[in-house]
Amino acid sequence: FYFTGTRLAPKEKLNIPVLFMPDTMKMYEALVVIHVMRENGENWPYEDSAELNEDLKRSVTVAENGGIQGILWIYPVHGIPEAPQQKLVSAVIRCRARQRVERRVEVLLTGVVPGATAMPTARNSAMVNTNNPANIQEEVQVTDGFSTTVEFLYELQYQSNEVKSQLGALVGMHLIQRERDTESGIVTLIFNIVFAPNKPMRHEATLVVQCITGGVWKFPMLFIAMEPEVDDVINIEAVGLNKESIVSFKLTSQTR
């Protein structure tokens, strides 16, 4: 699309709207190019064209008489489709404080292969299976044996840095299985999530999966740490009225 004839006063701002309407789960690339010329048609002079470096030569248009006719601003735009999250139910990981639990989380990625499923549907979901470190961003390769390999990146994102500092060291995530249905194009990734909380808490996180060809899938997760079990019961036996009874016990600190 080309828009011409826009006049700008000195130090005036120019807003350029960009509309993105993807029809497949792949990345789209475009360039927003601003070409500025003097209103009176005169050129900007410069000393010697040989002095222009390569970066500057790509940013100007040179007139036949040797002057700079126009100046270019080039902005690359990457359009990355994101699967809709409405109707998605959070995968809930529950554990008592000071204990450790492992859960398998299965996510379905639709629309990975262009043409197989044009846009993600409600089948994008995260399911937790009871089964039998530190958060990482890892590259995943999925192949069906006939098509080219599809590569993914995944990571666990938190609502804030404060939540990340509290939850990040308590959650481990590892991919244990991946497969793709050749007919529907749906990719299934199964993660093993380890949660070992040290105190009661309730925090939300998002499992983000991105295909290197473009397309992002987000799956909400909820981590709940419940009150820990009682360590012990202390019985104090009275030795008489108005007399003190003493029981000693040891406490071990988990940190310095």
Side-chain angles (χ1 to χ4, degrees), residues 44-118:
W44 286 280
Y46 63 93
E47 296 180 358
D48 187 358
S49 61
E51 298 297 328
L52 289 176
N53 57 46
E54 292 299 323
D55 291 336
L56 185 57
K57 287 181 180 179
R58 287 193 294 265
S59 302
V60 298
T61 54
V62 181
E64 294 181 358
N65 59 6
I68 295 179
Q69 184 180 27
I71 302 175
L72 295 171
W73 281 269
I74 303 175
Y75 300 93
V77 177
H78 287 179
I80 301 178
E82 182 175 317
Q85 291 196 61
Q86 62 268 26
K87 299 182 181 180
L88 285 186
V89 179
S90 298
V92 181
I93 311 294
R94 286 189 177 89
C95 181
R96 281 188 177 272
R98 301 205 308 268
Q99 292 186 6
R100 179 180 182 275
V101 69
E102 291 190 26
R103 294 290 185 269
R104 290 191 178 185
V105 177
E106 179 181 293
V107 299
L108 304 180
L109 314 180
T110 60
V112 177
V113 181
T117 305

Side-chain angles (χ1 to χ4, degrees), residues 102-171:
E102 291 190 26
R103 294 290 185 269
R104 290 191 178 185
V105 177
E106 179 181 293
V107 299
L108 304 180
L109 314 180
T110 60
V112 177
V113 181
T117 305
M119 286 295 292
T121 65
R123 292 191 64 182
N124 283 338
S125 60
M127 294 177 290
V128 179
N129 296 328
T130 303
N131 216 325
N132 219 8
N135 295 329
I136 57 174
Q137 177 167 311
E138 184 174 325
E139 185 174 300
V140 184
Q141 294 186 349
V142 180
T143 180
D144 57 15
F146 300 95
S147 182
T148 57
T149 300
V150 181
E151 298 179 357
F152 296 89
L153 296 174
Y154 68 87
E155 65 175 339
L156 205 57
Q157 294 182 352
Y158 305 97
Q159 291 181 315
S160 64
N161 290 331
E162 182 180 356
V163 173
K164 182 178 181 179
S165 63
Q166 295 182 26
L167 192 60
L170 309 177
V171 177

Side-chain angles (χ1 to χ4, degrees):
F1 299 95
Y2 295 91
F3 300 93
T4 59
T6 302
R7 300 174 60 184
L8 290 178
K11 296 185 178 180
E12 184 179 355
K13 294 182 180 180
L14 175 63
N15 293 322
I16 302 175
V18 177
L19 179 63
F20 180 47
M21 298 178 63
D23 56 359
T24 57
M25 291 295 289
K26 66 178 182 179
M27 185 175 68
Y28 297 82
E29 298 181 72
L31 294 176
V32 176
V33 181
I34 314 298
H35 188 202
V36 175
M37 296 178 290
R38 285 183 171 178
E39 187 177 11
N40 57 14
E42 296 181 359
N43 300 326
W44 286 280
Y46 63 93
E47 296 180 358
D48 187 358
S49 61
E51 298 297 328
L52 289 176
N53 57 46
E54 292 299 323
D55 291 336
L56 185 57
K57 287 181 180 179
R58 287 193 294 265
S59 302
V60 298
T61 54
V62 181
E64 294 181 358
N65 59 6
I68 295 179
Q69 184 180 27
I71 302 175
L72 295 171
W73 281 269
I74 303 175
Y75 300 93
V77 177
H78 287 179
I80 301 178
E82 182 175 317
Q85 291 196 61
Q86 62 268 26
K87 299 182 181 180
L88 285 186
V89 179
S90 298
V92 181
I93 311 294
R94 286 189 177 89
C95 181
R96 281 188 177 272
R98 301 205 308 268
Q99 292 186 6
R100 179 180 182 275
V101 69
E102 291 190 26
R103 294 290 185 269
R104 290 191 178 185
V105 177
E106 179 181 293
V107 299
L108 304 180
L109 314 180
T110 60
V112 177
V113 181
T117 305
M119 286 295 292
T121 65
R123 292 191 64 182
N124 283 338
S125 60
M127 294 177 290
V128 179
N129 296 328
T130 303
N131 216 325
N132 219 8
N135 295 329
I136 57 174
Q137 177 167 311
E138 184 174 325
E139 185 174 300
V140 184
Q141 294 186 349
V142 180
T143 180
D144 57 15
F146 300 95
S147 182
T148 57
T149 300
V150 181
E151 298 179 357
F152 296 89
L153 296 174
Y154 68 87
E155 65 175 339
L156 205 57
Q157 294 182 352
Y158 305 97
Q159 291 181 315
S160 64
N161 290 331
E162 182 180 356
V163 173
K164 182 178 181 179
S165 63
Q166 295 182 26
L167 192 60
L170 309 177
V171 177
M173 180 175 62
H174 180 65
L175 181 76
I176 58 176
Q177 186 176 342
R178 58 268 192 180
E179 59 184 17
R180 183 172 68 187
D181 189 297
T182 56
E183 295 183 1
S184 65
I186 296 178
V187 172
T188 302
L189 302 181
I190 300 178
F191 296 90
N192 188 58
I193 306 293
V194 178
F195 184 34
N198 54 6
K199 61 182 180 181
M201 64 180 65
R202 182 188 180 96
H203 290 306
E204 295 180 354
T206 303
L207 172 59
V208 180
V209 180
Q210 180 174 1
C211 183
I212 63 170
T213 60
V216 175
W217 295 261
K218 294 183 178 181
F219 305 94
M221 303 190 68
L222 178 60
F223 293 89
I224 301 176
M226 299 168 290
E227 290 289 340
E229 294 182 353
V230 175
D231 295 291
D232 202 355
V233 177
I234 300 173
N235 294 315
I236 304 177
E237 184 175 345
V239 296
L241 292 175
N242 298 320
K243 293 183 179 181
E244 294 182 353
S245 297
I246 298 175
V247 174
S248 63
F249 56 92
K250 294 182 180 180
L251 297 178
T252 303
S253 175
Q254 299 296 321
T255 64
R256 295 178 62 89

